Amino acid sequence: MTRTVDVPDLVDRARAGQPRAVARLISLVEDASPRLREVARALAPFTGHARVIGLTGAPGVGKSTSTSALVRAYRDRGERVGVLAVDPSSPFSGGALLGDRVRMGEHATDPGVFIRSMATRGHLGGLSWATPQALRVLDAAGCDVVLVETVGVGQSEVEVVSLADTTVVLLAPGMGDGVQAAKAGILEVADVFVVNKADRDGADATARDLKHVISLGRRERADAGWRPPVVKAVAARAEGIDDVMAALDAHHAHLRDRGELPRRRARRAAGEIEAIALNTLRSRLGTGQAGTAATRLAEQVATGTLDPYTAADHLITALTT
Amino acid sequence: MTRTVDVPDLVDRARAGQPRAVARLISLVEDASPRLREVARALAPFTGHARVIGLTGAPGVGKSTSTSALVRAYRDRGERVGVLAVDPSSPFSGGALLGDRVRMGEHATDPGVFIRSMATRGHLGGLSWATPQALRVLDAAGCDVVLVETVGVGQSEVEVVSLADTTVVLLAPGMGDGVQAAKAGILEVADVFVVNKADRDGADATARDLKHVISLGRRERADAGWRPPVVKAVAARAEGIDDVMAALDAHHAHLRDRGELPRRRARRAAGEIEAIALNTLRSRLGTGQAGTAATRLAEQVATGTLDPYTAADHLITALTT
């Protein structure tokens, strides 16, 4: 498909809040379009504004409902909101999360809300590649807040958490107790815990267990002064959302007051740059002079005329000259 | 611990078949010793000889028993045998697999057998880093065959499979049927299937299911002409081991006749070199001039004065000048 793309015009229209322009830009970065670099350059001056909030938790804890409730709360404040729904296990190749779409339906016609589902198609480094770039699009499009929703399973979740200024971990009574959360390494990354479906039996026990585990845990992160609060909510009825918002604001203020916000964002950018650089180098191995060198070096190592470390030194030279 | 290491002497003694020298060399590569490069250089001229056979399968299918039976069979032919037991889930930090040690006990005093358990300690890239180097030690020490035994779970297994000339996937009746194997992507990597514990109920059904799934599957690998045989065995009683050996020999001959053996080994070396090169570059990001550049670039991207792709270009330049 050869469709002319006028990147500066797209960026202008995205900044003016046109949903189709925003969607088109995200598609360009998600598909690793040849125009990717041009898009990135055009977006850069308008980024660095949005607060990024990650939401994660096991399937069934009510992530989409909670995300939707938070969207409403931020909209009530008059803020522009972006949502990136990342589901590494989604079988839909285009990444559409039907459940989200349905639940997010109330926001579908709101010009102050951009919702995008992303699947992890795995090309060019998967999540770590496309999601930060989609985030930049929403940031440049004037979103005050971007909510990144992920299924709380494994590596891809941790990658997405690393994008967020504030990470919210959702639990539900009788589903994932505090100990399980601790096992999953989730204590390490959570800034705010929400016990959702708090009208169910066992909500108090879950909250209590969680607080106990938090009191035992040592926080390894730079903001050791922050103890993650545990907030109870019933997102489906919008109960407790004020408390969640208060916790999110408190964490944001904490980061800001300690000068931690720019540090966290610089760390995020560092990871992003490194991933792009290593991917770029890796892709050079398949083609041109570096590719030829890689093939020759592999043969030498396979036949024992060269050791792999010396070969790696030669490969680095070939990659970079 | 500062212990003088005379690498050339160690290599000489390993080549003479001294188990302690072999063990010491593997420790040096496994611990990413500063002498790693020297060890790799000293080993290179003596590598490229060993046949590498990967064995994988779910816990309980009898991997260690089968490995032990194969060790015996190769020893009966007068060949020198190495065993690398890799268990990514092993809780023993030193990587000792007690079960293996006990079952391998019969070979413990055989000077023609080297057995090494490796845990995936995850430093410097984990499995993909240390196992190929340990393999080189056993190869240089004169092993005709190296058996690499892994638990058939997830990514690390696939990494280890990529080391092997021939990959054996073990199943047992009523444990992992053909469909499960296909799901796990194991059909893609298996060159030989062994239905172990074939004296149990359901062995014929498992073998039949497996053959059916194989007949449906398309082989993506270069050796599309090879259809993986399904062999039944009772490794604990050494029944069917002759058939397994015949299947291994047939696959080896197939690879050799098609010129696939050097290609497979070159591909393996290419992956190994690439992993070392990217790790080397990544480690440079933390220190010196490249580290300083990385920090500065991250700040510029975080504040929107630079886009991440241009930053990555600068980073590559900083890494390589």
Side-chain angles (χ1 to χ4, degrees), chain A residues 260-277:
Chain A
E260 179 61 23
L261 209 49
R263 269 200 293 274
R264 211 170 257 215
R265 287 174 180 188
R267 212 154 49 215
R268 181 162 92 207
E272 201 179 331
I273 298 166
E274 182 186 321
I276 294 169

Side-chain angles (χ1 to χ4, degrees), chain A residues 302, chain B residues 46-53 79-82 134-148 163-166 252 261 265 268:
Chain B
F46 310 113
T47 56
H49 168 69
R51 288 171 58 188
V52 182
I53 296 171
E79 299 194 39
R80 194 180 276 193
V81 186
L135 195 56
R136 286 177 182 285
V137 173
L138 293 174
D139 190 358
C143 288
D144 302 291
V145 181
V146 178
L147 305 170
V148 182
L163 295 177
D165 299 322
T166 300
H252 186 71
L261 209 49
R265 287 176 180 186
R268 182 163 92 207

